[in-house]
Every structure is written in structure tokens, then in C-alpha cells.
């Protein structure tokens, strides 16, 4: 018997489901009429005539990989992370989303500086430092 066309993706989805109560937020289905990938709103149907994928989590710029910032609705009570580069030191700072801090965090989110994990925020700061070094080196060589 042949395996399901989406069997490998189902395995990956199961891993997301083991760590999240709403794993569909991390997945997309291809909308052929709109010619674009769309975030799922519920568990996938795994229709054989549809294309599914995990949302991309990184973007490459000038050979440097950047984690994608958090782009979902902010939840009061959740903690988010911001990359920080100070005095050449790379770190991430946490920010708890409260009713009073939500607007400020949404602004940081719109600017692309808000992440759902400490590690992603730190990786972003490291990537910025690496890209900056490449740009400086390129400028010196001109």
C-alpha cells in the first residue's frame, strides 16, 4: 500500500502538535486562486489536491540567515523577546505583554523586532552583527 502524499508533513505537524495547542498557526496551505500561501485557521484536512508547508522561519539576506520576527496577534500574559546589541555584546531582553505594554510591543512587532523565543531574538542580533561586518568590509574594499 502506498503512503499518503502528505505523510512526511503529517509527521512534522504531529511534532508541532506535541508542543502547541494550536499547531496550525505554524502551517500554510497554498491558495491557487490567490496564488499565495495562507496561514491555516484550523487543523489541516490533508487533502491530496492541496499543497501544505510549515511557515518559513528564516530569511537569507546577503548570505546571512535571519529568523523571522513574530507576526501573530500578541497575547496579554505572554512573554516576548527583543534583540539587543550593546557595546558589541549580543543578548535578548524579555518583555511581558500586559494591557499597558501591548501597544509598545505591537510597535516593536511592526518594526520587525519582536520574537517569540529568546533564541530567535538572540540569533537576529547575531545576524545583524554579521551583516554589519560584511557591509563594513564591503565598504572598505571599495
Amino acid at each position: 500500500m502506498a503512503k499518503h502524499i502528505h505523510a512526511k508533513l503529517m509527521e512534522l505537524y504531529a511534532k508541532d502538535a506535541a508542543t502547541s495547542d494550536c499547531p496550525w498557526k505554524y502551517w500554510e496551505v497554498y491558495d491557487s486562486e490567490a496564488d499565495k500561501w495562507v496561514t491555516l485557521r484550523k487543523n489541516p484536512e490533508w487533502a491530496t489536491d492541496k499543497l501544505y508547508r510549515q511557515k518559513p522561519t528564516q530569511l537569507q539576506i546577503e548570505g546571512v540567515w535571519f529568523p523571522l520576527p513574530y507576526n501573530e496577534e500578541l497575547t496579554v500574559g505572554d512573554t516576548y523577546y527583543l534583540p539587543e546589541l550593546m557595546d558589541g555584546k549580543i543578548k535578548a531582553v524579555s518583555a511581558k505583554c500586559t494591557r499597558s505594554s501591548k501597544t509598545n510591543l505591537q510597535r516593536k512587532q511592526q518594526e520587525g523586532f519582536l520574537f517569540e523565543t529568546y533564541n530567535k531574538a538572540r540569533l537576529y542580533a547575531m545576524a545583524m552583527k554579521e551583516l554589519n561586518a560584511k557591509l563594513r568590509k564591503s565598504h572598505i574594499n571599495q
Side-chain angles (χ1 to χ4, degrees), residues 15 45-46 49-50 91 100 107 129 138:
K15 288 180 184 178
E45 298 171 5
W46 301 114
D49 63 336
K50 298 211 183 262
K91 64 180 186 175
S100 61
R107 191 176 74 252
K129 187 174 181 179
S138 171

Side-chain angles (χ1 to χ4, degrees), residues 45 48 67-68 85 99 112 119 127 135:
E45 298 171 5
T48 57
L68 293 175
L85 275 170
R99 277 188 237 122
N119 192 43
L135 292 172

Side-chain angles (χ1 to χ4, degrees), residues 50-65:
K50 298 211 183 262
L51 298 173
Y52 301 92
R53 72 175 184 185
Q54 280 183 306
K55 283 186 178 179
T57 59
Q58 292 187 357
L59 173 69
Q60 189 177 34
I61 301 171
E62 296 293 323
V64 179
W65 287 98

Side-chain angles (χ1 to χ4, degrees), residues 25 70-81 95-98 101-110 114-116:
K25 287 183 176 181
Y70 186 70
N71 198 27
E72 302 293 328
E73 177 68 28
L74 300 183
T75 303
V76 171
D78 283 356
T79 300
Y80 301 94
Y81 300 86
K96 187 149 184 122
C97 184
T98 63
S101 69
K102 189 172 183 177
T103 301
N104 185 43
L105 287 176
Q106 285 172 326
R107 191 176 74 252
K108 295 290 187 188
Q109 182 182 33
Q110 289 170 346
L114 195 69
F115 296 86
E116 69 266 39

